[in-house]
Amino acid sequence: MASPEEKIERDPFDILHHDDDDHTPFASSTSATKVRPFNFETTVVDLRTSSAFNIRRISRSIYFVLIKAKINILLPFGPFAILLHYLTGHHGWVFFFTLLGITPLAERLGYATEQLAFYTGPTVGGLLNATFGNATEMIISIYALKSNMIRVVQQSLLGSILSNMLLVLGCAFFTGGIVHYKKVQVFDKAAAVVNSGLLLMAVMGILFPAVLYFTHTEVHEGKSVLSLSRFSSCIMLVAYASYLFFQLRSQQNVYTPVNEEGDNGENSDEEEELELTQWEAITWLAILTAWVSILSGYLVDAIQGASESLNMSVAFISVILLPIVGNAAEHASAIMFAVKDKLDITIGVAIGSSTQISMFVIPFCVVVGWCMGKEMDLNFQLFETATLFITVLVVAFMMQEGTSNYFKGLMLVLCYLIVAASFFVHVDNNKSGD
């Protein structure tokens, strides 16, 4: 079986690397044992050939990462937003163009992670997806934590969960149901049930600190909620690590849909193509992460000014607008797989991403804030916690039958519109009042 490196198409320049003696018809059998004298002209040609090969490889890598995908047309908006920041200082426009500039970077981060997963295997690949799959949200959250904007961190991560579960999954169900209106689309209930259980566990971890705070039943007032949040975050991280081990090692066959086993060989080339080498994927991950970090700093700095200039609350921007950036890749891929009648992958993209954020990213931010000396906790306030709880229940009921149709998708999208309207008229008390 060919290795991942052998799967990458052979470069036409490779033929120039063969020794001339191998193609010489008059070469004697003893010529291989003789030491060839140093030939300056041949060495120069080899160096030039090697340089041409490297240039071709770099150009090919740049094409796959920065040019091939249509969403890359938004990449220039990132530098443009930085220019606007220093030339005009208009926070509304800086915020808008930074959002546009980060959107393709989030999608390309997912692409580079998938390419690297070819070389690492399923176990390490799952860890990479858990880390870089929501790298945009994590980077924005860390920058907001540095600026002590804890409510922005909480609301943006909550918005990512709501967007994935209602908008992304709803659009996928609706589109797949319209395309395949003559049949009922089915998906594996086992993975959906496990993900629903993890989401309910996340709701439990977020609900208890809020109830403890608003019922004034803390043992140590002002400290018990923070201590409970940090303890619960560590438990949630352990639970998510156990889930990864369970999914990738102990119960692999449970998450392999029966109806996709026969199609795997036919469609693998269409869906997943190896286009980057291992070190190219690692290099692009580093470059894209650094660029997202730079733009995230300008995005966080412009949130407050954008709220005033656009006449929108910070809560609406954090819960509704910011998640659009991080979920752009999930939205496109979930719809694509639903159209191809591969709902198991759609569920993995939409619900799996929500599980990652609720059980990994949110507790991770609490631990990072702990290390930074920031009082980041799991008290998301009653309004946000109630919204998350009802959303998880609605989606769990929608998936309990293991079937999908366009009407279920329409209901999920309409539910998201209700949530968006609610946050548009919601005023955040910022924990100042009870």
Side-chain angles (χ1 to χ4, degrees), residues 187-197 243 246 253-256 344 399 402:
F187 54 85
D188 184 26
K189 290 191 293 185
V193 168
V194 172
N195 278 287
S196 298
Y243 162 70
F246 172 80
N253 295 331
V254 175
Y255 298 94
T256 303
D344 292 287
M399 297 192 304

Side-chain angles (χ1 to χ4, degrees), residues 13-181:
F13 283 103
D14 289 346
I15 195 173
L16 298 177
H17 290 284
H18 293 296
D19 292 332
D20 294 337
D21 293 339
D22 295 336
H23 303 283
T24 305
F26 303 102
S28 62
S29 59
T30 60
S31 60
T33 61
K34 295 180 181 179
V35 178
R36 289 190 300 178
F38 177 76
N39 191 325
F40 178 77
E41 295 181 356
T42 304
T43 303
V44 171
V45 172
D46 289 341
L47 289 175
R48 290 176 178 175
T49 304
S50 177
S51 300
F53 174 78
N54 291 333
I55 293 174
R56 179 179 175 83
R57 169 60 64 189
I58 294 173
S59 301
R60 188 172 179 271
S61 176
I62 292 175
Y63 168 76
F64 282 128
V65 177
L66 300 181
I67 300 177
K68 183 179 179 181
K70 296 180 180 179
I71 197 173
N72 288 334
I73 195 174
L74 300 176
L75 284 174
F77 287 112
F80 183 67
I82 297 177
L83 287 177
L84 283 179
H85 173 79
Y86 290 105
L87 295 179
T88 65
H90 193 284
H91 293 291
W93 288 112
V94 172
F95 177 81
F96 175 73
F97 286 114
T98 307
L99 276 180
L100 292 179
I102 292 181
T103 301
L105 296 177
E107 192 274 336
R108 293 289 86 187
L109 270 174
Y111 165 78
T113 304
E114 291 174 358
Q115 292 293 307
L116 185 58
F118 277 105
Y119 302 93
T120 59
T123 304
V124 180
L127 295 175
L128 285 173
N129 285 325
T131 305
F132 289 98
N134 294 292
T136 306
E137 290 91 339
M138 293 175 64
I139 293 172
I140 293 176
S141 299
I142 291 174
Y143 268 91
L145 272 178
K146 285 183 178 180
S147 303
N148 206 32
M149 303 172 69
I150 295 177
R151 290 296 291 155
V152 172
V153 176
Q154 294 175 333
Q155 291 172 339
S156 63
L157 294 179
L158 172 71
S160 294
I161 299 174
L162 299 177
S163 175
N164 275 309
M165 297 183 68
L166 295 178
L167 183 62
V168 175
L169 187 64
C171 289
F173 279 3
F174 181 79
T175 307
I178 293 296
V179 174
H180 303 279
Y181 67 94

Side-chain angles (χ1 to χ4, degrees), residues 220-285:
H220 304 286
E221 187 174 356
K223 296 182 180 179
S224 296
V225 170
L226 184 60
S227 300
L228 176 62
S229 298
R230 290 170 176 174
F231 176 79
S232 300
S233 297
C234 295
I235 296 298
M236 291 163 70
L237 289 174
V238 172
Y240 188 73
S242 303
Y243 162 70
L244 286 180
F245 181 82
F246 172 80
Q247 182 183 21
L248 300 173
R249 285 292 184 90
S250 301
Q251 300 288 335
Q252 284 187 357
N253 295 331
V254 175
Y255 298 94
T256 303
V258 177
N259 59 351
E260 288 187 7
E261 290 179 354
D263 299 336
N264 189 29
E266 299 177 3
N267 299 329
S268 59
D269 294 336
E270 178 183 352
E271 294 171 4
E272 298 179 351
E273 296 180 359
L274 185 60
E275 297 173 335
L276 301 178
T277 65
Q278 183 175 2
W279 286 107
E280 285 175 346
I282 294 174
T283 302
W284 280 113
L285 274 177

Side-chain angles (χ1 to χ4, degrees), residues 3-14:
S3 62
E5 289 83 355
E6 294 172 348
K7 291 182 182 178
I8 300 180
E9 63 175 346
R10 184 165 179 169
D11 195 281
F13 283 103
D14 289 346

